[in-house]
Amino acid sequence: MSTDSVLRFITAGSVDDGKSTLIGRLLFDSQSLLADQVASLYRGKHKRTAEGIPDFAQLTDGLAAEREQGITIDVAYRYFATPARKFIIADTPGHEQYTRNMVTGASTADAAIILIDATRLDFSEQTPALLPQTRRHSAILKLLGTPYIIVAVNKLDLLDYSEEKFNAIKRAYSELAAALDLRRVSYVPISALNGDNIVTASAHMPWFQGQPLLPLLESLPAANRHSQLLKAPALYPVQRVARLDGSSADDFRGYQGRLEQGCLKIGEPVRIEPAGQSSTIAAIYSPDGAVDQAQAGDVLTLVLADDVDVSRGDSIVAAGSDLHPVSNISASLCWFDSKPLNSARRYWLKHSTQTVYAKIRKVEYLLDVQSLNHQEDTDSLQLNDIGRVQISVQKPLIATTYEANPAAGAFILIDEATNHTVAAGMIVALS
C-alpha cells in the first residue's frame, strides 16, 4: 500500500457532539482494535446502556482529566487500516478553551468530519441555528484549506432517525458552507453509539442513499500537495550548521534541515537569503549517505562550494527563484491567549527555523463566527477570535503564502514575557 493511499482526517465540532465515540465505534466496527482493547470495553464500569453498549470514547480519551470530565482536551491520534487504504485520525477537542489543539490537529488533515449533535438544535425554525463552535471550527478549516468536509449528523437514534430533521441540518450547514466557500462537503446521518451508517448502511435509515462513513472516507482522494511542492522552486530553511573540528585537514561545514519545496541537485546554483549571496551545491547527504539530488520533504545536509556566512534561520533557495526577503505580511490569525492582542506590544514570531520580533501594525478585521461578517472597527483580538492582521517583522523572512505551501506559510506568535503561544497565523500576502 503506497503512501498516497494514506488519508489524514480529523473530527471536529462542539462539546459532546460525539467525536470520541465516533472514532471508537469506527475502530471497533472496522476490526482495528487489539483483543485487550476489546476486552477492556466490556468491563462492567464502562457499560453505558441497558443493551451493554460500551463507552467507545475511552479508546481515544487517554488523559485522566478527559475521562473524569467526559471531554476531549488534547489531540489524540489513532492509526488503522482497511483493505482499501490506511488512515491517521486526529480526535480534536470541541471545547472553546482548547481551540488551539483543534488547529494543531487540522493543520495536516486531508479531510475533516464535522460532528453535529442533532438533539441540541432547535427545529422550531425551518433552518435550525448551528452551535458557535461548529461555525468556528468550519471557519478554521476554511482558513487551513482542508480539502474535504464530511458533516456527520449524530444521535439521530434519539430523534427516531428523522429524515426531516437530517435535511433541516443539511440546509443549515449548506448555508454556512456557501458563506465560507467550502466546496467539497458531504453529509451522512449517523448514530455513533449504535453504529448506524458508520461502516455499513443502516437499516433504520433506508431513506439515505449515500455512502456510510467509512466507505466515504475510503473513496476520498488524498491531498496532492507533495506533487505541487515538487514543481515549486527549491526552498531549504537551515536548521543547524554542522561542523567538525574546523582544522585545515577536515574543515567540513554542512547545513542541515528539510527541503520544504522543490528539488536540489549537485552543481545547482543557489542563493542564500536574506543576505542574497550566491553559491552552488557541492554535496548532498541524506540519512542514508551521499546522494546526487533531493526533493521536497527530504531531510538533508547540504555542502556549498563556497565559504559563505550561513546560520540557522537563513534559507537556501534556487538561484532563479522569486522567493525574496519580506518584512511585512498580511495573515489570518487565530488568537489563543486569554490576554487580548495588544498592538502596542511586540511578540516573537516563529516561522520555520527562524524566530524574530514582530509588531501587529493593524487589525484589518475580526470574523464574527455567527454572522460571518467582517468587523472592521476593532484594534484587538480576544481569546479564540479569528481575524486578519498586518504584521511587520524586525528581520526579513523567506516565506510563501499558506495556500502555496502550508509549511512555509504558517507561523506562531509567542508572548516574549511568558513564552506562551498566543496565536497561530496563515500568511495570505507578502510585501
Side-chain angles (χ1 to χ4, degrees):
M1 191 177 295
S2 70
T3 54
D4 291 339
S5 68
V6 177
L7 185 82
R8 299 171 179 266
F9 70 93
I10 70 161
T11 55
S14 194
V15 178
D16 291 332
D17 281 349
K19 296 180 294 297
S20 298
T21 299
L22 170 65
I23 292 179
R25 171 60 85 169
L26 192 60
L27 295 173
F28 180 79
D29 286 356
S30 62
Q31 300 181 352
S32 300
L33 298 176
L34 300 175
D36 60 335
Q37 292 176 306
V38 175
S40 71
L41 282 172
Y42 286 96
R43 290 174 187 151
K45 65 178 181 179
H46 295 308
K47 290 184 179 180
R48 177 166 286 185
T49 69
E51 292 78 16
I53 298 176
D55 178 10
F56 292 106
Q58 68 172 301
L59 294 170
T60 54
D61 289 341
L63 300 178
E66 293 177 323
R67 295 191 296 270
E68 291 167 1
Q69 300 177 49
I71 62 172
T72 299
I73 296 174
D74 201 3
V75 181
Y77 292 94
R78 294 294 180 267
Y79 308 84
F80 77 103
T82 69
R85 78 187 319 169
K86 295 177 181 177
F87 297 95
I88 301 175
I89 318 170
D91 181 23
T92 63
H95 198 285
E96 187 173 346
Q97 180 181 350
Y98 305 112
T99 298
R100 68 175 67 195
N101 295 353
M102 179 269 171
V103 175
T104 300
S107 62
T108 58
D110 301 312
I113 300 175
I114 295 281
L115 267 288
I116 295 178
D117 181 349
T119 65
R120 300 174 67 185
L121 303 188
D122 181 5
F123 293 97
S124 60
E125 300 290 337
Q126 184 179 11
T127 303
L130 299 173
L131 297 179
Q133 197 69 336
T134 301
R135 301 176 71 86
R136 178 178 285 104
H137 283 183
S138 299
I140 291 172
L141 292 173
K142 172 60 181 177
L143 292 178
L144 293 172
T146 306
Y148 299 96
I149 308 294
I150 300 174
V151 178
V153 181
N154 194 21
K155 304 185 185 179
L156 280 177
D157 54 310
L158 302 179
L159 297 176
D160 297 324
Y161 298 101
S162 170
E163 180 181 8
E164 179 183 355
K165 290 182 170 59
F166 169 74
N167 286 334
I169 295 172
K170 183 176 178 180
R171 283 194 302 272
Y173 197 90
S174 296
E175 291 181 2
L176 175 63
L180 291 171
D181 195 28
L182 297 172
R183 300 180 182 180
R184 300 182 182 94
V185 183
S186 303
Y187 300 86
V188 184
I190 67 168
S191 168
L193 188 63
N194 293 329
D196 291 291
N197 277 339
I198 303 300
V199 173
T200 57
S202 170
H204 296 109
M205 291 177 278
W207 45 265
F208 178 66
Q209 299 301 308
Q211 291 180 298
L213 189 60
L214 183 58
L216 179 57
L217 289 168
E218 289 176 332
S219 69
L220 293 180
N224 198 23
R225 291 174 179 168
H226 185 67
S227 62
Q228 296 172 355
L229 294 178
L230 289 178
K231 300 174 184 177
L235 170 60
Y236 183 81
V238 176
Q239 183 173 352
R240 180 176 180 268
V241 179
R243 295 293 308 271
L244 293 183
D245 59 11
S247 67
S248 57
D250 194 357
D251 189 18
F252 177 86
R253 180 192 290 265
Y255 307 106
Q256 298 179 328
R258 184 178 69 181
L259 186 56
E260 296 295 357
Q261 65 181 41
C263 299
L264 286 174
K265 59 184 179 181
I266 293 177
E268 181 176 351
V270 293
R271 295 196 324 268
I272 296 87
E273 297 290 3
Q277 302 174 85
S278 298
S279 187
T280 57
I281 302 294
I284 303 174
Y285 297 96
S286 75
D288 297 323
V291 295
D292 293 331
Q293 58 185 5
Q295 64 179 16
D298 289 347
V299 176
L300 308 169
T301 300
L302 298 182
V303 178
L304 299 180
D306 303 287
D307 188 12
V308 293
D309 183 13
V310 183
S311 58
R312 174 182 170 87
D314 291 340
S315 292
I316 299 173
V317 303
S321 170
D322 59 358
L323 293 170
H324 289 89
V326 295
S327 297
N328 298 290
I329 61 176
S330 178
S332 296
L333 211 62
C334 296
W335 194 257
F336 296 150
D337 199 31
S338 56
K339 296 179 181 177
L341 181 154
N342 184 348
S343 57
R345 293 189 54 190
R346 66 179 184 178
Y347 298 91
W348 284 111
L349 185 149
K350 186 177 189 326
H351 170 265
S352 187
T353 61
Q354 190 173 14
T355 302
V356 299
Y357 277 122
K359 287 270 292 184
I360 312 297
R361 292 190 294 112
K362 181 181 180 181
V363 178
E364 295 182 21
Y365 64 78
L366 165 69
L367 177 67
D368 185 330
V369 296
Q370 285 298 333
S371 66
L372 300 182
N373 292 328
H374 293 171
Q375 298 180 5
E376 299 179 355
D377 56 342
T378 182
D379 60 359
S380 183
L381 297 177
Q382 307 287 333
L383 176 65
N384 294 322
D385 278 349
I386 301 170
R388 179 73 60 83
V389 300
Q390 294 178 9
I391 301 175
S392 60
V393 292
Q394 187 179 55
K395 181 181 177 182
L397 304 174
I398 304 299
T400 70
T401 63
Y402 186 86
E403 183 180 10
N405 184 347
F411 64 89
I412 60 173
L413 292 180
I414 302 169
D415 187 313
E416 66 170 336
T418 64
N419 279 329
H420 291 167
T421 299
V422 296
M426 286 73 71
I427 298 173
V428 295
L430 305 133
S431 61

